[in-house]
Tab-separated table of all heavy atoms in Angstrom:
chain	number	residue	atom	x	y	z
A	203	PHE	N	64.438	-54.502	27.777
A	203	PHE	CA	64.796	-53.628	26.664
A	203	PHE	C	64.686	-54.404	25.348
A	203	PHE	O	65.208	-55.503	25.233
A	203	PHE	CB	66.214	-53.077	26.855
A	203	PHE	CG	66.312	-52.194	28.082
A	203	PHE	CD1	66.765	-52.714	29.290
A	203	PHE	CD2	65.897	-50.878	28.027
A	203	PHE	CE1	66.828	-51.909	30.423
A	203	PHE	CE2	65.959	-50.066	29.155
A	203	PHE	CZ	66.414	-50.584	30.363
A	204	GLY	N	63.994	-53.812	24.377
A	204	GLY	CA	63.777	-54.504	23.107
A	204	GLY	C	62.602	-55.456	23.245
A	204	GLY	O	61.779	-55.338	24.163
A	205	ASP	N	62.546	-56.479	22.350
A	205	ASP	CA	61.399	-57.389	22.381
A	205	ASP	C	61.584	-58.558	23.342
A	205	ASP	O	60.694	-59.386	23.514
A	205	ASP	CB	61.091	-57.898	20.952
A	205	ASP	CG	62.271	-58.680	20.357
A	205	ASP	OD1	63.230	-58.988	21.111
A	205	ASP	OD2	62.231	-58.975	19.146
A	206	GLY	N	62.756	-58.648	23.962
A	206	GLY	CA	63.001	-59.717	24.945
A	206	GLY	C	63.369	-61.037	24.309
A	206	GLY	O	63.536	-62.048	24.993
A	207	ASN	N	63.506	-61.055	22.990
A	207	ASN	CA	63.871	-62.310	22.325
A	207	ASN	C	65.386	-62.485	22.201
A	207	ASN	O	65.851	-63.496	21.668
A	207	ASN	CB	63.236	-62.398	20.930
A	207	ASN	CG	61.737	-62.598	21.049
A	207	ASN	OD1	61.283	-63.265	21.975
A	207	ASN	ND2	60.976	-61.986	20.159
A	208	GLN	N	66.144	-61.487	22.650
A	208	GLN	CA	67.603	-61.625	22.601
A	208	GLN	C	68.038	-62.733	23.558
A	208	GLN	O	67.514	-62.832	24.662
A	208	GLN	CB	68.312	-60.290	22.901
A	208	GLN	CG	68.065	-59.646	24.246
A	208	GLN	CD	66.802	-58.780	24.298
A	208	GLN	OE1	65.780	-59.111	23.731
A	208	GLN	NE2	66.868	-57.671	25.025
A	209	THR	N	68.966	-63.579	23.106
A	209	THR	CA	69.359	-64.744	23.926
A	209	THR	C	70.769	-64.596	24.492
A	209	THR	O	71.637	-63.963	23.885
A	209	THR	CB	69.300	-66.043	23.100
A	209	THR	OG1	70.090	-65.867	21.929
A	209	THR	CG2	67.890	-66.420	22.721
A	210	ARG	N	70.951	-65.216	25.663
A	210	ARG	CA	72.247	-65.231	26.336
A	210	ARG	C	72.494	-66.622	26.914
A	210	ARG	O	71.556	-67.378	27.145
A	210	ARG	CB	72.273	-64.216	27.488
A	210	ARG	CG	72.124	-62.761	27.070
A	210	ARG	CD	73.352	-62.257	26.339
A	210	ARG	NE	73.218	-60.885	25.917
A	210	ARG	CZ	72.703	-60.471	24.750
A	210	ARG	NH1	72.244	-61.360	23.891
A	210	ARG	NH2	72.661	-59.204	24.446
A	211	ASP	N	73.766	-66.896	27.195
A	211	ASP	CA	74.152	-68.171	27.798
A	211	ASP	C	74.420	-67.917	29.281
A	211	ASP	O	75.451	-67.357	29.646
A	211	ASP	CB	75.419	-68.665	27.065
A	211	ASP	CG	75.786	-70.078	27.443
A	211	ASP	OD1	75.403	-70.512	28.542
A	211	ASP	OD2	76.459	-70.746	26.637
A	212	TYR	N	73.468	-68.312	30.132
A	212	TYR	CA	73.580	-68.014	31.569
A	212	TYR	C	74.277	-69.153	32.300
A	212	TYR	O	73.852	-70.304	32.211
A	212	TYR	CB	72.180	-67.786	32.170
A	212	TYR	CG	71.518	-66.559	31.596
A	212	TYR	CD1	70.614	-66.650	30.528
A	212	TYR	CD2	71.820	-65.292	32.082
A	212	TYR	CE1	70.031	-65.514	29.977
A	212	TYR	CE2	71.252	-64.146	31.536
A	212	TYR	CZ	70.364	-64.272	30.484
A	212	TYR	OH	69.799	-63.147	29.947
A	213	VAL	N	75.322	-68.813	33.043
A	213	VAL	CA	76.092	-69.842	33.756
A	213	VAL	C	76.219	-69.439	35.222
A	213	VAL	O	76.437	-68.264	35.558
A	213	VAL	CB	77.468	-70.068	33.055
A	213	VAL	CG1	78.307	-68.805	32.979
A	213	VAL	CG2	78.259	-71.188	33.710
A	214	PHE	N	76.044	-70.436	36.103
A	214	PHE	CA	76.012	-70.178	37.555
A	214	PHE	C	77.414	-69.905	38.086
A	214	PHE	O	78.373	-70.612	37.752
A	214	PHE	CB	75.385	-71.386	38.263
A	214	PHE	CG	75.086	-71.138	39.719
A	214	PHE	CD1	74.256	-70.089	40.098
A	214	PHE	CD2	75.624	-71.962	40.696
A	214	PHE	CE1	73.974	-69.861	41.446
A	214	PHE	CE2	75.339	-71.739	42.044
A	214	PHE	CZ	74.510	-70.689	42.421
A	215	VAL	N	77.490	-68.908	38.973
A	215	VAL	CA	78.808	-68.420	39.425
A	215	VAL	C	79.655	-69.493	40.103
A	215	VAL	O	80.874	-69.522	39.945
A	215	VAL	CB	78.629	-67.156	40.317
A	215	VAL	CG1	77.960	-67.498	41.650
A	215	VAL	CG2	79.946	-66.451	40.538
A	216	LYS	N	79.013	-70.405	40.869
A	216	LYS	CA	79.803	-71.447	41.541
A	216	LYS	C	80.447	-72.371	40.507
A	216	LYS	O	81.571	-72.852	40.688
A	216	LYS	CB	78.912	-72.284	42.470
A	216	LYS	CG	78.729	-71.683	43.820
A	216	LYS	CD	79.886	-72.048	44.754
A	216	LYS	CE	79.747	-71.324	46.075
A	216	LYS	NZ	80.999	-71.125	46.785
A	217	ASP	N	79.710	-72.642	39.427
A	217	ASP	CA	80.248	-73.504	38.379
A	217	ASP	C	81.464	-72.845	37.714
A	217	ASP	O	82.458	-73.501	37.397
A	217	ASP	CB	79.176	-73.826	37.332
A	217	ASP	CG	78.069	-74.709	37.920
A	217	ASP	OD1	78.358	-75.469	38.859
A	217	ASP	OD2	76.932	-74.638	37.423
A	218	VAL	N	81.378	-71.531	37.552
A	218	VAL	CA	82.507	-70.778	37.016
A	218	VAL	C	83.688	-70.899	37.991
A	218	VAL	O	84.831	-71.125	37.585
A	218	VAL	CB	82.107	-69.282	36.826
A	218	VAL	CG1	83.307	-68.419	36.531
A	218	VAL	CG2	81.060	-69.160	35.738
A	219	GLY	N	83.382	-70.785	39.269
A	219	GLY	CA	84.418	-70.914	40.315
A	219	GLY	C	85.077	-72.282	40.263
A	219	GLY	O	86.304	-72.398	40.338
A	220	TYR	N	84.258	-73.341	40.116
A	220	TYR	CA	84.830	-74.702	40.068
A	220	TYR	C	85.788	-74.838	38.892
A	220	TYR	O	86.812	-75.504	39.008
A	220	TYR	CB	83.713	-75.757	39.967
A	220	TYR	CG	82.880	-75.886	41.217
A	220	TYR	CD1	81.489	-75.931	41.160
A	220	TYR	CD2	83.487	-75.939	42.478
A	220	TYR	CE1	80.724	-76.012	42.310
A	220	TYR	CE2	82.723	-76.034	43.637
A	220	TYR	CZ	81.348	-76.056	43.543
A	220	TYR	OH	80.595	-76.142	44.678
A	221	PHE	N	85.460	-74.217	37.772
A	221	PHE	CA	86.383	-74.346	36.643
A	221	PHE	C	87.692	-73.587	36.904
A	221	PHE	O	88.770	-74.067	36.548
A	221	PHE	CB	85.754	-73.913	35.323
A	221	PHE	CG	86.593	-74.347	34.149
A	221	PHE	CD1	86.835	-75.696	33.928
A	221	PHE	CD2	87.183	-73.433	33.304
A	221	PHE	CE1	87.656	-76.126	32.887
A	221	PHE	CE2	88.002	-73.848	32.252
A	221	PHE	CZ	88.234	-75.190	32.039
A	222	ASN	N	87.591	-72.459	37.581
A	222	ASN	CA	88.813	-71.751	37.976
A	222	ASN	C	89.706	-72.649	38.837
A	222	ASN	O	90.931	-72.652	38.704
A	222	ASN	CB	88.474	-70.474	38.764
A	222	ASN	CG	88.231	-69.270	37.879
A	222	ASN	OD1	89.158	-68.515	37.600
A	222	ASN	ND2	87.002	-69.091	37.426
Side-chain angles (χ1 to χ4, degrees):
F203 296 96
D205 61 10
N207 290 325
Q208 61 275 39
T209 53
R210 296 290 179 271
D211 189 335
Y212 295 96
V213 58
F214 190 57
V215 68
K216 275 276 175 205
D217 292 333
V218 169
Y220 291 134
F221 193 61
N222 273 268

